[in-house]
Amino acid sequence: MHLFSYGTRQLPDVPRATFGRLLSGRPDAIIGFGTVFDLTAEQLRAADAYEVADYARVEVPLRSGQTAWVYVFAG
């Protein structure tokens, strides 16, 4: 599974607190910026718990040709 990040999840302290470790990631893009992380199903559930109710998880195509989950404003 892949999780695309364009915000605070890229800061080292956030994945340590959410997943208990740093994540391996690589640059990719939806619209020119961000990082995509490889996650297990359990880690994706932890990412869901990290996000507040104002955000929804949606699957998007990336420039690389992969698809990844990303959290977007739900309002």
Side-chain angles (χ1 to χ4, degrees):
M1 286 186 207
H2 307 288
L3 174 64
F4 183 82
S5 175
Y6 57 90
T8 60
R9 197 177 306 279
Q10 295 181 68
L11 302 173
D13 289 344
V14 175
R16 279 191 195 113
T18 306
F19 310 119
R21 68 177 184 89
L22 289 176
L23 297 174
S24 62
R26 63 198 162 280
D28 209 325
I30 293 174
I31 305 174
F33 60 96
T35 300
V36 65
F37 296 112
D38 297 321
L39 299 181
T40 65
E42 181 180 345
Q43 290 171 325
L44 188 58
R45 287 189 295 275
D48 287 339
Y50 170 81
E51 296 297 338
V52 295
D54 290 341
Y55 293 89
R57 178 166 44 101
V58 298
E59 195 168 23
V60 296
L62 302 177
R63 182 178 58 209
S64 65
Q66 289 185 306
T67 60
W69 295 108
V70 64
Y71 294 91
V72 298
F73 185 66

